[in-house]
Amino acid sequence: MLITHDTRCALDTVVDLVNTAPEDDSAPDGLADLAALTDFVRRHDMSDVGVLSEFDLSAVRRIRGRFAGIFSAPDSRTAAGMINELVAAAGTTPRLTDHDGYDWHVHYFAPGASVADHLAADCGMALAFFVVAGEQERLRRCEAPDCRRAFVDLSRNRSRRYCDSRTCGNRLHVAAYRARRKEAAG
């Protein structure tokens, strides 16, 4: 599956957005305040975003939940319906642009769109490409029992199981190794 630079950026953005949500009541919200949203926008080099407000923060939190649902969708038809609703509500206006040193690419959000509509349109379209390509199952949640972080499985054979093999994957492999050793010794 060919993934263009702007699609990859949108995928990274939507995964990071979904993963800002607290996993339980005791975890902090990664978008706790306007400063966190401003930092998120800066880190993801989102273009054409004006001054952010509390309204933007609330709207981004709402679409974050809708994106989380797409990563948990049981099938492509459900994911497609959710993506269609997000993209339609954003009032998409596809247009070619070449800004900030990037060659021609497509922005799906309308000029002057809110940050929530910007995210819904660009990230929604990036996820739509996976559904169209029959690759919706690549939109996953970590299989570690104590982690439900979202990720996009870009492995060649669709075999990635953990959000990060160095943390979640390694932790589970070490635990399994220790259990086997304990069983063999005892």
Side-chain angles (χ1 to χ4, degrees):
M1 177 173 185
L2 176 66
I3 300 174
T4 62
H5 171 75
D6 50 317
T7 300
R8 180 60 192 255
C9 289
L11 290 172
D12 291 344
T13 300
V14 72
V15 165
D16 286 350
L17 177 64
V18 169
N19 289 334
T20 64
E23 291 186 32
D24 57 42
D25 292 336
S26 65
D29 189 327
L31 292 177
D33 54 27
L34 204 48
L37 177 60
T38 301
D39 186 54
F40 180 88
V41 167
R42 182 194 51 74
R43 277 193 334 267
H44 290 283
D45 200 22
M46 293 176 62
S47 62
D48 201 21
V49 174
V51 176
L52 298 171
S53 68
E54 290 293 328
F55 176 81
D56 292 311
L57 178 61
S58 177
V60 169
R61 284 180 180 155
R62 276 193 306 277
I63 66 156
R64 173 180 69 184
R66 296 179 76 188
F67 276 124
I70 294 167
F71 278 84
S72 301
D75 55 52
S76 59
R77 183 163 305 283
T78 304
M82 297 168 94
I83 293 167
N84 283 340
E85 288 176 13
L86 262 171
V87 171
T92 57
T93 307
R95 70 188 195 301
L96 287 167
T97 184
D98 65 339
H99 61 86
D100 299 328
Y102 295 108
D103 204 358
W104 290 107
H105 59 283
V106 179
H107 279 187
Y108 295 96
F109 59 92
S114 71
V115 68
D117 285 346
H118 178 139
L119 288 164
D122 272 3
C123 296
M125 289 305 298
L127 296 178
F129 295 139
F130 278 79
V131 173
V132 167
E135 301 284 351
Q136 183 258 334
E137 75 275 0
R138 289 183 181 268
L139 309 177
R140 297 196 175 155
R141 292 290 189 156
C142 184
E143 290 183 20
D146 59 341
C147 180
R148 295 298 301 149
R149 292 177 61 83
F151 68 93
V152 178
D153 179 4
L154 297 177
S155 67
R156 201 175 276 217
N157 62 356
R158 298 176 194 89
S159 62
R160 187 171 162 198
R161 298 174 45 207
Y162 307 110
C163 64
D164 186 348
S165 61
R166 289 178 306 231
T167 55
C168 290
N170 190 46
R171 191 174 63 246
L172 287 175
H173 289 113
V174 168
Y177 171 77
R178 288 180 179 158
R180 285 191 307 272
R181 298 255 322 193
K182 183 178 180 182
E183 186 177 306

